[in-house]
Amino acid sequence: MRVLTTVEDVRNQVKAWKKEGLTVGLVPTMGYLHEGHASLVQRAKNENDRVVVSVFVNPTQFGPNEDLATYPRDLEHDAELLESLGVDILFHPTPEEMYPGKARTWVTVEDLTTGLCGKTRPTHFRGVCTVVSKLMNIVTPDKAYFGRKDAQQLAVIRQMVKDLNIGIDIVGCPIVREADGLAKSSRNKYLSESERQSALVLSKAVAEGKALVAAGQTCTQTIVDAMVRVIESDPTAKIDYVEAVDALTMAPVTEIKEPVLFAMAVYIGKTRLIDNFGSDEVNDAN
Ligand code: PAF
């Protein structure tokens, strides 16, 4: 595995691969990798001749009072894991390499970014779309891989790729969970032992919602209310949002007709965690 830090070095390597007719998969990450990231890399390895993983804590997607400075980092561990998974390039640029000089160009996806996480993080998706566009332009992959835990991010990136005619296949990969149900996240590291227990209300709410969908409930408010009750059973948990939205447009929906995304963000102490499920996942399982 080559560890590259400059845009130029990545471009030269990818150019050489393309001359040989090889396909390239990109897995964009912010590092502090866990089994969720590993599952994206494994999928990328299965579907491409070469795999590039970026590890870059992107400053433009953090708000002024968010955890940019304390976001967990462990490049040594990340490099070991990626090497063991057979990754070809670990791209680890500095913020100056990714954002040289004052940027005047941003990529903004409208509508899909105003609700859910966009309500409390108004500049977040602009930062995500801008950095993902830059990574796509640098690596020019055939396919790019994203986790479904960030379901709104995945929908926003799919919309961006469609609207801007970016010829890259976007592959969404299933949420990977701990044995007790907690969705894997780099931010789980922030949780104390007791908060770690409290955090289970998110996956329990997912299980409750799925059970209602499986039982034939189609009224989204009934399902959301039941999920809220599960979360509020733990006094440590403070709901940011629990909502039912169209899985493609992120617009609120009252009745399950097309696939609906049930998404939540919940504070456990100071840590904001997200989780979700799609109504179509439940039907697929039946
Ligand atoms: O999902 C993430 O880790 C980040 O938002 C991404 C896609 C790597 C962009 O910085």
Side-chain angles (χ1 to χ4, degrees), residues 28-30 37 56 58 61 124 128 131-132 146 150 153 157:
T29 81
M30 297 210 299
H37 297 108
F56 178 62
N58 173 37
Q61 70 189 71
H124 172 68
V128 169
V131 83
V132 169
F146 298 89
D150 296 290
Q153 168 173 282
I157 289 169

Side-chain angles (χ1 to χ4, degrees), residues 169-222:
D169 285 347
I170 302 301
V171 183
C173 301
I175 296 176
V176 177
R177 296 181 181 279
E178 304 283 355
D180 60 7
L182 180 68
K184 300 247 183 198
S185 163
S186 305
R187 288 189 170 100
N188 290 348
K189 175 192 158 59
Y190 297 146
L191 302 169
S192 68
E193 218 168 286
S194 70
E195 287 173 343
R196 171 71 185 66
Q197 272 308 109
S198 298
L200 292 178
V201 289
L202 281 92
S203 52
K204 285 181 184 158
V206 164
E208 176 77 7
K210 278 185 172 178
L212 286 169
V213 174
Q217 181 57 259
T218 60
C219 169
T220 62
Q221 194 58 55
T222 304

Side-chain angles (χ1 to χ4, degrees), residues 8 19 45 49 53 63 67 73 91 116 124 128 131 140-141 147 149 177 183 185 191 205 208 212 218 260 277-278 281:
E8 192 187 354
K19 251 191 202 155
K45 283 284 295 175
D49 299 317
V53 177
D67 57 345
R73 293 159 167 90
F91 179 39
L116 305 181
H124 172 68
V128 169
V131 83
T140 62
K149 183 166 75 69
R177 296 181 181 279
S185 163
L191 302 169
E208 176 77 7
L212 286 169
T218 60
V260 171
F277 73 96
E281 289 171 45

